[in-house]
Amino acid sequence: MISQFFVLSQRGDNIVFRDYRGEVQKGSTEVFFRKVKFWKEDGQEEAQAPPVFNVDGVNYFHVKVAGLLFAATTRVNASPSLVLELLQRVARVIKDYLGVLSEDSLRKNFVLVYELLDEVIDFGFVQTTSTEMLKSYIFNEPIPVESSRVPPLGPAAIFMQGNKRMPGTAVTKSVIANEPAGKKREEIFVDIIEKISVTFSSSGYILTSEIDGTIQMKSYLTGNPEIRVALNEELNIGRGGRSVYDYRSSTGSGAVILDDCNFHESVRLDSFDLNRTLTLVPPDGEFPVMNYRMTQEFRPPFRINALVEEAGTLKAEVIIKVIAEYSSSITANTVMVQMPLPKYTTRATFELESGAVGQNADFREASKKLEWSLKKIAGGAEHTLRAKLTFSQEYHGNISKESGPVNMTFTIPMYNASGLQVKYLQIAKKPTYNPYRWVRYVTQANSYVARL
Amino acid sequence: MAPPATAQRNPSPSQPSGKGEVSDLKLQLRQLAGSRAPGVDDSKRDLYKKVISYMTVGIDVSSVFGEMVMCSATSDIVLKKMCYLYVGNYAKVNPDLALLTINFLQRDCKDEDPMIRGLALRSLCSLRVPNLVEYLVGPLGTGLKDNNSYVRMVAVIGVLKLYHISAPTCIDADLPERLKHLLLNDPDAQVVANCLTTLQEIWALESGKSEEASREREALLSKPVIYYLLNRIKEFSEWAQCIVLELVVKYIPTDTNEIFDIMNLLEDRLQHANGAVVLATIKVFLQLTLSMTDVHQQVYERIKAPLLTLVSSGSPEQSYAVLGHLHLLVMRAPVLFSSDYKHFYCQYNEPFYVKKLKLEMLTAVANESNTYEIVTELCEYAANVDIPIARESIRAVGKIALQQYDVNAIVDRLLQFLEMEKDYVTAETLVLVKDLLRKYPQWSHDCIAVVGNISSKNIQEPKAKAALIWMLGEYSQDMDDAPYILESLIESWEDEHSAEVRLHLLTAVMKCFFKRPPETQKALGAALAAGVADFHQDVHDRALFYYRLLQYNVSVAEKVVNPPKQAVSVFADTQSSEVKDRIFDEFNSLSVVYQKPSYMFTDKEHRGPFEYSDEVAGISIGADPADNVVPAQHVEANDKDLLLSTYEEEDTRSVISNGSAYNAPLYDSSAPLVASQTQTDIGSLDTSTSQTPSASLAIDDLLGLGLSITTAPVPPPALTLNPKAVLDPGTFQQKWRQLPVSLSQEFPVSPQGVAGLTAPQALVRHMQGHSIQCIASGGQSPNLKFFFSAQKSGSSSYFLVECIINTSSAKAQIKVKADDQGATNDFATLFQTALSKFGTA
């Protein structure tokens, strides 16, 4: 049960504020914002505020979505999971209705937002967060905002890179917006989004690896037909009691072994055990059909070799090599390699490989970090960066203990590391019905780290 | 809604601030009010929007109240909604104006469009004006009967709103009775869910006043209601499912079959994508199986994977909430997670609050088999550029060292930290090395060699400086420079801002003096002089105290200040097990994330309806209304526990030693007396159980998850033991051969228990105090073996136990044989409870 709900901008302005129970004093938004802004850990270092905290008997919950703070307060000992999940869901519902979630769109559509909030929560109790069900209660129409300038929300956002859009990325339209000329485009998006975490030891071994995946769906089909999503037939779930880090039995068999997965409420699993098919009637709006987690060994898309060497007094050299190990038909984009350098580094000069295009290297003086960005890396390619460092004082001991680890972020469209696939997407309706179906794969780095 | 103008914050230039705009609006609205021109609704919409937007940014627009109401005579639902929003916001501060709205809201409650009926009813109930409540009862009653589920949904919550405005009106109108009917009969699941939340809240608040209400509250937990809700669980929305599951947690099944039925029914809820549903389900599973050791353990195994998936699938905030719960489970049963340690490795991009939890989990799960890898990983973080994490990591390494049996390798790692020459690393490490030496003095040689090389000038942090000074004093015989380093530190006494450091300096120089008088005499004189002149009271007093001691007799002074020390065996845990158990009982709530029981952060008036144990207390006490005050006392008692834990410990000790005295053969006390003694003994473990003596059986889950005591009334103590039972070794042997093993299990022994086992006789005496007699004992550390026997009071049936305690792994293995096999489990529980208290008293 919550007492108040509000949305604040990054500057702390009230964009939306709804008091459901009148139990929490008026200045709560200011109290909240001051706490979040100047959070102190153990009275010392400034740190990021945890999503839940208590000030004078009031519990504050918040999530950050699209640069905005979605927050709730309560005086009771509520379930943090429930409230945080609710905040996230409210953000998604609002996004479903406005098309775009931003300060601008919220301000322009606040009446619609209040309308939604009144139906989603009554006297602090959740009534429904289903975009579908809410449709019958909502009467305001969204006022569209220019969507190209605002960063879109949610996992699907990674399908938009700069100006280049992947086909059919018009997922910024509202679920209740009327299309121009009254036509509604029949389409459905199924996105397989994987976030991978890998830690390489200094000798290049994989210490830990994990894939966290989501099958995300957004349907614009009229009449909500039933949909069947078929996954790999050789898909196993659970590792039968063995330690999840026991790789022996899983290599080379071609089977995809998930540690665990969970499903959206609408998914029926009647034939899942038989032929790995999910049956569902997709509700309106964007939602995760299935979340999964895999620690089965997989081939990481990049190998990273990094080296720091002394080069005389007050000098050192850094060599970072990145090798793309995926097929040449695939290209990774917005790659960024970062490496913390010793505190006493004063200068770094870079040497990119000859003929390098779309690469840039920089030394961030304030954070003492090396940053190497690459617009794209084609499959099979290999790129190297050399950097000469100058120090203000002599280093002692082991210089590689003073720098690193190397961290890499990237996005690889049309690639997924787990091997999980959507074999087909069947829409149960009359045979002539043939809407657009978009099945898209993308892989992102979550924590991709190489130690020195 | 946005607070009216009082809370106005600096409006940005684009936002109008003045009265001009508002009076302008007022004028325009008035013009439109009576108009029936086409398109007038559109212009009204624009004006309404303006009003609402002013309201949101905090401008007081209450002055247009009358005009807003006049304009609301429309069939346009968008307009109506905006008007309701406005009215709801200002009615409370303008009760007179609110009266204006009653009429049109009541009219709308009879509209033919169910949407309008529902909306009007909701607005009507949201006015929060006490003297208007009489107008609510009628529309609410009609609303509850409405044939549209939306209206009923709104009406049910409306009842709760009415209750909060005027409880007597709500009760007198018999509305809760209507809700009870709807709860079990309404076809719409959301209406049912709203009935449930509303009734729970009303009964909880009423139960303080009326006996009937607490009976009603109890009735919600009756089997038919619970089964009715459980069977419909999938019809409910995910949020309503959480409410139902929270209710089910409090239900007490009659037998194990029922428990398994419920668990099977809810099994697939663990695969839900909503973390709140999964956690609520887990809570049901954990609470239901508390008294079923092996099933409880299976539950842990079962919930691991879903929890880990939730941690890695949601937003960072959601995964933090789940991780907090995983953290709690790991802390309770580290053994069960020891092979999952890699999941607790920190990721590069995780926020501090997540990493901190993970480090604590890594510390907890470290054991012989994974320590090397965990410490290696932690050392990576210690070198990290992220300073807070580096500090936490070093502390984690230290904690692992303190809890491990074989610390050899870890000490090396810690000493390597000192070689990194980063000031914060050195500082944290020094503090750890000091603690390590207090526990393992045998490592002093290796440590002192390295610590001796550290220049005290490079250490600024008071804690670290104090640690270094302590080591200088303690090991001055092994450190050549000790007197001279101390001397130089004393020379800069004036510059030393931390009183803690100056206190340590005084003590260290004293210790040094006793070992190396000629070299230290000068420094000691200087220190005492500086100390006596110090402005800080403690420093002054200590210096004076040392001075007088020395004056009186130097060898006495040495005996006081520097007597031979015993190694510290265990550093005290910061949280008592009662507090931990309370947090566990409040699973799936903020208590878990804050790591505090709810009474520490919730006001009393907001605690009642949602607190688990209060709820149960209410039920078990049932008809006696006087007992409603018990929860509060209980809370205070617990508060006291926390503050006065040392006193508490003494109390328990006296109880136990009394117990053993009564059991001495000479004292032929009657069995019931001692039995009750045992019972209070068990009860004193947790005050909450003692309030319901008939149901006070401490259920110690055999996982070794510490003491977990359910506040739920479990079957009454089935078993009491005969305190003066005697079984001669011959009969024991004979029985041991004849009987089959009826139970065999392993559980951890508390570190205090292990420490106490240096004298096995102590355990024998301790168990005697619990009416369990030792037949024989033997074995060499780390493996100690005991044979115990006990007799069920009032019967001739015996229990025989073989108990092997391994002190290095801190585990006890028991094999139980019994004449009456049915009572084995109860006996095992008693046995383990008794054993777990060994060393704590």
Side-chain angles (χ1 to χ4, degrees):
Chain A
M1 186 195 69
I2 65 165
S3 199
Q4 301 168 321
F5 168 88
F6 49 87
V7 181
L8 300 188
S9 74
Q10 269 167 327
R11 296 179 309 281
D13 297 332
N14 258 357
I15 303 176
V16 179
F17 181 94
R18 188 83 179 88
D19 192 337
Y20 290 106
R21 290 182 69 105
E23 294 163 340
V24 174
Q25 75 287 4
K26 276 171 186 167
S28 59
T29 58
E30 279 115 76
V31 174
F32 164 76
F33 189 70
R34 223 175 301 128
K35 265 282 180 214
V36 167
K37 190 110 202 232
F38 306 105
W39 186 263
K40 291 259 187 343
E41 199 63 50
D42 297 337
Q44 307 176 17
E45 289 93 359
E46 265 187 46
Q48 206 175 333
V52 189
F53 53 82
N54 181 301
V55 184
D56 300 332
V58 178
N59 301 300
Y60 294 84
F61 303 78
H62 75 281
V63 301
K64 280 187 192 142
V65 188
L68 300 167
L69 292 163
F70 283 71
T73 61
T74 180
R75 282 184 177 274
V76 299
N77 189 16
S79 156
S81 232
L82 186 137
V83 179
L84 293 169
E85 186 88 39
L86 173 65
L87 290 175
Q88 203 79 38
R89 216 63 81 73
V90 169
R92 197 158 78 201
V93 168
I94 294 177
K95 196 238 167 183
D96 280 340
Y97 278 87
L98 305 189
V100 178
L101 190 59
S102 66
E103 186 173 341
D104 193 25
S105 73
L106 280 175
R107 284 196 192 279
K108 277 213 171 91
N109 289 289
F110 65 91
V111 179
L112 170 56
V113 173
Y114 281 127
E115 203 180 359
L116 282 168
L117 287 176
D118 273 345
E119 300 300 340
V120 168
I121 299 164
D122 194 4
F123 208 52
F125 298 108
V126 192
Q127 300 298 303
T128 178
T129 50
S130 151
T131 301
E132 177 89 30
M133 281 178 52
L134 285 166
K135 262 185 172 175
S136 53
Y137 309 141
I138 299 304
F139 297 92
N140 278 291
E141 276 163 27
I143 301 158
V145 292
E146 186 65 53
S147 64
S148 63
R149 285 182 294 118
V150 289
L153 158 80
I158 50 185
F159 291 105
M160 305 171 79
Q161 301 289 347
N163 297 326
K164 261 197 215 153
R165 279 192 186 188
M166 306 222 3
T169 317
V171 278
T172 53
K173 64 184 180 190
S174 161
V175 288
I176 49 169
N178 291 321
E179 292 291 301
K183 267 190 294 184
K184 194 178 162 206
R185 189 152 125 134
E186 291 289 310
E187 55 188 349
I188 179 166
F189 298 87
V190 178
D191 300 332
I192 294 90
I193 300 156
E194 293 191 346
K195 292 187 175 167
I196 57 178
S197 302
V198 181
T199 308
F200 296 96
S201 74
S202 52
S203 45
Y205 284 113
I206 297 175
L207 288 170
T208 58
S209 64
E210 179 167 317
I211 299 175
D212 300 316
T214 304
I215 301 180
Q216 186 95 18
M217 189 178 276
K218 187 155 191 177
S219 160
Y220 291 96
L221 305 178
T222 42
N224 300 83
E226 186 178 88
I227 289 181
R228 290 163 63 80
V229 182
L231 307 176
N232 314 32
E233 286 193 12
E234 274 191 274
L235 177 71
N236 298 317
I237 293 160
R239 286 163 158 264
R242 273 170 292 128
S243 157
V244 288
Y245 281 97
D246 180 5
Y247 293 128
R248 271 166 302 177
S249 57
S250 61
T251 41
S253 65
V256 175
I257 302 173
L258 304 180
D259 290 46
D260 185 51
C261 56
N262 60 37
F263 301 96
H264 186 261
E265 192 135 61
S266 65
V267 177
R268 281 191 289 116
L269 299 168
D270 309 342
S271 51
F272 188 67
D273 285 336
L274 190 70
N275 55 13
R276 296 300 182 211
T277 306
L278 309 173
T279 315
L280 68 156
V281 175
D284 283 341
E286 193 174 90
F287 69 99
V289 176
M290 168 179 167
N291 297 307
Y292 57 92
R293 181 167 56 83
M294 187 177 112
T295 49
Q296 180 193 14
E297 197 170 58
F298 62 93
R299 189 175 180 156
F302 294 100
R303 268 197 296 129
I304 308 171
N305 292 332
L307 196 68
V308 193
E309 275 182 329
E310 305 169 19
T313 48
L314 301 178
K315 276 191 170 56
E317 191 178 26
V318 176
I319 303 169
I320 305 175
K321 189 192 273 184
V322 172
I323 303 131
E325 302 224 289
Y326 42 86
S327 136
S328 57
S329 61
I330 291 167
T331 303
N333 50 39
T334 54
V335 181
M336 169 70 93
V337 180
Q338 288 182 315
M339 176 173 149
L341 299 174
K343 281 254 146 45
Y344 37 81
T345 311
T346 48
R347 216 157 64 88
T349 54
F350 297 100
E351 192 184 314
L352 294 166
E353 55 206 356
S354 55
V357 183
Q359 288 189 31
N360 189 32
D362 211 350
F363 172 57
R364 301 264 167 230
E365 183 88 46
S367 57
K368 302 287 179 194
K369 256 186 194 167
L370 172 165
E371 284 187 1
W372 177 26
S373 65
L374 301 96
K375 277 225 172 84
K376 51 181 69 166
I377 300 182
E382 205 180 292
H383 296 284
T384 310
L385 174 76
R386 286 166 188 278
K388 290 195 163 53
L389 311 181
T390 312
F391 298 145
S392 61
Q393 66 178 77
E394 268 185 65
Y395 46 84
H396 21 245
N398 192 343
I399 186 169
S400 54
K401 282 260 175 278
E402 305 274 316
S403 37
V406 178
N407 171 53
M408 189 171 177
T409 56
F410 51 80
T411 302
I412 318 177
M414 302 325 284
Y415 169 87
N416 74 331
S418 70
L420 184 85
Q421 285 180 325
V422 172
K423 291 287 185 196
Y424 63 81
L425 190 67
Q426 206 177 57
I427 299 166
K429 223 180 177 181
K430 49 186 182 289
T432 50
Y433 181 67
N434 198 12
Y436 294 94
R437 296 159 215 211
W438 308 102
V439 177
R440 307 176 294 187
Y441 294 87
V442 72
T443 293
Q444 274 188 314
N446 187 23
S447 165
Y448 206 84
V449 172
R451 290 183 177 155
L452 290 176
Chain B
M1 204 49 253
T6 41
Q8 189 175 336
R9 49 213 325 326
N10 320 332
S12 68
S14 65
Q15 289 169 349
S17 57
K19 296 218 157 58
E21 285 83 353
V22 179
S23 52
D24 220 32
L25 273 176
K26 197 180 169 101
L27 213 68
Q28 292 180 34
L29 279 167
R30 190 164 291 172
Q31 282 165 358
L32 288 178
S35 167
R36 287 182 192 279
V40 71
D41 277 351
D42 285 341
S43 2
K44 276 189 194 168
R45 276 193 193 190
D46 286 342
L47 287 175
Y48 271 36
K49 261 186 206 174
K50 252 185 211 157
V51 172
I52 306 251
S53 92
Y54 286 179
M55 200 166 81
T56 303
V57 296
I59 296 169
D60 186 2
V61 280
S62 57
S63 57
V64 298
F65 204 102
E67 287 73 15
M68 287 292 280
V69 175
M70 282 199 283
C71 281
S72 61
T74 169
S75 57
D76 182 26
I77 196 159
V78 175
L79 270 180
K80 271 196 190 298
K81 280 192 148 188
M82 283 196 269
C83 187
Y84 295 152
L85 183 65
Y86 173 87
V87 168
N89 197 40
Y90 285 111
K92 196 172 182 194
V93 277
N94 300 301
D96 303 342
L97 291 171
L99 193 62
L100 292 175
T101 64
I102 291 280
N103 250 335
F104 90 86
L105 285 175
Q106 275 190 326
R107 196 171 54 241
D108 283 354
C109 284
K110 294 178 191 136
D111 199 283
E112 58 188 30
D113 182 350
M115 265 317 288
I116 294 186
R117 290 203 299 275
L119 286 169
L121 188 56
R122 182 187 293 157
S123 306
L124 200 57
C125 299
S126 303
L127 294 180
R128 293 185 206 164
V129 182
N131 54 10
L132 298 182
V133 285
E134 59 203 273
Y135 299 99
L136 292 187
V137 179
L140 272 177
T142 326
L144 290 174
K145 278 186 295 196
D146 203 290
N147 56 12
N148 185 288
S149 61
Y150 178 76
V151 182
R152 293 199 304 277
M153 223 166 82
V154 170
V156 174
I157 295 287
V159 172
L160 183 57
K161 289 176 186 165
L162 171 62
Y163 178 84
H164 279 276
I165 307 167
S166 166
T169 315
C170 180
I171 304 289
D172 293 345
D174 230 8
L175 291 171
E177 209 51 40
R178 306 274 298 275
L179 297 192
K180 265 165 65 186
H181 177 77
L182 283 181
L183 175 72
L184 295 176
N185 295 291
D186 201 283
D188 186 272
Q190 191 56 43
V191 175
V192 173
N194 285 356
C195 286
L196 181 57
T197 41
T198 301
L199 284 175
Q200 275 187 298
E201 196 169 326
I202 291 180
W203 294 143
L205 293 169
E206 278 295 298
S207 64
K209 303 177 219 156
S210 94
E211 198 178 313
E212 196 196 332
S214 37
R215 263 203 302 278
E216 291 286 0
R217 191 150 74 128
E218 201 179 334
L220 284 180
L221 291 170
S222 66
K223 192 164 173 171
V225 177
I226 296 287
Y227 275 44
Y228 173 76
L229 295 171
L230 275 177
N231 285 327
R232 294 182 69 177
I233 189 101
K234 283 180 191 151
E235 294 169 37
F236 290 106
S237 76
E238 48 201 307
W239 312 106
Q241 287 181 16
C242 295
I243 294 165
V244 172
L245 290 168
E246 273 301 320
L247 185 77
V248 173
V249 166
K250 298 168 202 155
Y251 172 67
I252 300 144
T254 46
D255 57 28
T256 43
N257 285 337
E258 229 188 316
I259 294 178
F260 288 122
D261 285 347
I262 294 174
M263 285 171 60
N264 284 328
L265 184 78
L266 296 177
E267 164 73 21
D268 64 349
R269 296 297 89 193
L270 292 174
Q271 267 192 348
H272 205 286
N274 185 334
V277 175
V278 177
L279 285 177
T281 311
I282 288 176
K283 182 172 183 180
V284 173
F285 281 32
L286 289 174
Q287 291 291 345
L288 283 181
T289 59
L290 261 182
S291 55
M292 304 157 77
T293 319
D294 15 327
V295 187
H296 195 66
Q297 185 155 354
Q298 282 171 24
V299 169
Y300 270 76
E301 293 294 340
R302 173 65 187 89
I303 62 185
K304 252 188 221 175
L307 281 174
L308 288 167
T309 306
L310 286 174
V311 168
S312 52
S313 58
S315 67
E317 294 93 357
Q318 286 158 292
S319 61
Y320 169 71
V322 179
L323 201 66
H325 287 82
L326 190 60
H327 177 266
L328 172 78
L329 296 175
V330 168
M331 292 316 201
R332 278 184 89 79
V335 190
L336 296 182
F337 293 89
S338 58
S339 57
D340 304 296
Y341 63 95
K342 285 196 180 183
H343 288 295
F344 311 140
Y345 282 2
C346 295
Q347 292 188 343
Y348 191 78
N349 48 353
E350 284 168 338
F352 176 77
Y353 52 79
V354 167
K355 285 183 175 165
K356 197 174 169 203
L357 279 182
K358 286 190 161 182
L359 289 177
E360 282 172 24
M361 291 196 265
L362 280 175
T363 315
V365 300
N367 64 10
E368 305 94 89
S369 60
N370 58 23
T371 295
Y372 177 79
E373 273 151 310
I374 290 177
V375 172
T376 308
E377 181 75 12
L378 288 173
C379 290
E380 289 286 344
Y381 308 153
N384 206 299
V385 284
D386 184 350
I387 294 175
I389 288 301
R391 283 179 186 274
E392 289 290 340
S393 306
I394 296 165
R395 283 176 212 161
V397 173
K399 273 189 208 146
I400 292 175
L402 289 175
Q403 76 196 22
Q404 289 287 308
Y405 200 64
D406 173 31
V407 287
N408 202 338
I410 305 180
V411 172
D412 282 349
R413 303 285 186 98
L414 276 178
L415 296 180
Q416 278 170 22
F417 286 152
L418 293 177
E419 287 160 11
M420 281 165 61
E421 297 197 24
K422 289 188 185 174
D423 44 6
Y424 58 91
V425 173
T426 310
E428 289 294 339
T429 312
L430 277 175
V431 175
L432 284 175
V433 170
K434 177 206 65 180
D435 287 342
L436 213 57
L437 287 178
R438 289 171 62 199
K439 189 171 177 190
Y440 307 106
Q442 66 267 35
W443 290 104
S444 61
H445 260 286
D446 304 66
C447 295
I448 291 312
V450 182
V451 170
N453 291 333
I454 297 171
S455 163
S456 59
K457 291 189 183 63
N458 293 342
I459 298 158
Q460 295 306 325
E461 291 175 35
K463 270 205 160 69
K465 214 165 180 177
L468 179 67
I469 291 169
W470 181 84
M471 286 187 270
L472 285 168
E474 196 65 25
Y475 297 99
S476 42
Q477 73 278 14
D478 304 322
M479 293 161 98
D480 292 343
D481 301 342
Y484 310 104
I485 299 173
L486 288 172
E487 191 172 341
S488 73
L489 282 167
I490 289 161
E491 275 164 20
S492 44
W493 184 277
E494 298 293 310
D495 306 326
E496 185 52 65
H497 298 293
S498 158
E500 186 192 358
V501 173
R502 298 201 299 274
L503 285 169
H504 270 274
L505 208 46
L506 278 173
T507 310
V509 77
M510 280 286 276
K511 289 180 187 167
C512 190
F513 171 73
F514 297 129
K515 291 165 189 159
R516 301 162 70 172
E519 294 161 280
T520 324
Q521 199 175 5
K522 192 175 142 226
L524 178 63
L528 289 177
V532 170
D534 203 281
F535 66 91
H536 192 276
Q537 196 155 10
D538 283 349
V539 178
H540 167 82
D541 289 359
R542 187 179 288 187
L544 213 56
F545 171 63
Y546 285 168
Y547 178 73
R548 289 177 186 146
L549 260 180
L550 288 168
Q551 229 177 7
Y552 172 71
N553 184 331
V554 175
S555 68
V556 169
E558 179 168 11
K559 273 186 202 141
V560 172
V561 179
N562 196 30
K565 290 188 188 54
Q566 272 198 324
V568 178
S569 60
V570 179
F571 288 98
D573 206 338
T574 46
Q575 231 169 23
S576 74
S577 61
E578 288 91 65
V579 168
K580 287 179 187 164
D581 286 339
R582 272 190 85 91
I583 298 174
F584 181 73
D585 283 342
E586 294 172 350
F587 194 84
N588 193 24
S589 78
L590 288 165
S591 315
V592 177
V593 175
Y594 295 158
Q595 302 181 15
K596 283 179 201 163
S598 60
Y599 67 82
M600 292 190 186
F601 62 88
T602 321
D603 315 329
K604 278 212 169 72
E605 69 264 35
H606 295 287
R607 213 176 291 149
F610 296 89
E611 201 184 20
Y612 170 65
S613 42
D614 279 12
E615 200 78 53
V616 172
I619 295 155
S620 53
I621 292 155
D624 190 355
D627 274 341
N628 284 313
V629 290
V630 166
Q633 285 171 350
H634 170 36
V635 163
E636 278 158 23
N638 246 314
D639 248 326
K640 223 184 275 166
D641 280 355
L642 204 70
L643 294 170
L644 306 172
S645 56
T646 46
Y647 296 101
E648 186 72 11
E649 266 172 39
E650 272 170 25
D651 285 346
T652 331
R653 183 188 296 138
S654 64
V655 167
I656 286 170
S657 55
N658 279 346
S660 62
Y662 291 149
N663 286 325
L666 278 175
Y667 191 95
D668 230 7
S669 74
S670 63
L673 174 68
V674 182
S676 67
Q677 178 88 38
T678 323
Q679 206 171 56
T680 44
D681 205 345
I682 294 167
S684 71
L685 268 181
D686 187 329
T687 43
S688 66
T689 49
S690 60
Q691 76 194 34
T692 53
S694 66
S696 73
L697 176 64
I699 303 255
D700 187 9
D701 54 346
L702 304 179
L703 280 173
L705 310 178
L707 281 176
S708 85
I709 292 146
T710 56
T711 45
V714 288
L719 185 67
T720 46
L721 299 175
N722 178 1
K724 32 176 196 164
V726 187
L727 193 65
D728 65 275
T731 325
F732 183 92
Q733 265 184 347
Q734 198 189 347
K735 274 187 178 290
W736 187 259
R737 272 198 304 274
Q738 286 167 352
L739 292 167
V741 176
S742 56
L743 184 114
S744 166
Q745 57 185 206
E746 194 183 75
F747 48 84
V749 180
S750 69
Q752 296 92 326
V754 172
L757 273 169
T758 42
Q761 276 309 311
L763 177 67
V764 171
R765 275 196 305 275
H766 170 81
M767 295 306 274
Q768 236 167 35
H770 294 266
S771 309
I772 298 169
Q773 319 292 336
C774 182
I775 300 287
S777 66
Q780 278 295 313
S781 185
N783 274 314
L784 301 168
K785 194 169 184 176
F786 299 87
F787 285 100
F788 292 104
S789 77
Q791 187 185 28
K792 190 172 171 179
S793 66
S795 114
S796 63
S797 75
Y798 277 96
F799 301 99
L800 314 180
V801 191
E802 180 200 59
C803 173
I804 301 173
I805 301 178
N806 183 307
T807 49
S808 71
S809 64
K811 281 195 181 102
Q813 263 185 330
I814 59 167
K815 280 194 187 118
V816 182
K817 301 187 179 188
D819 286 321
D820 172 11
Q821 304 214 358
T824 313
N825 278 330
D826 290 335
F827 173 73
T829 311
L830 274 183
F831 184 86
Q832 208 193 334
T833 313
L835 187 60
S836 66
K837 281 194 281 178
F838 177 59
T840 56

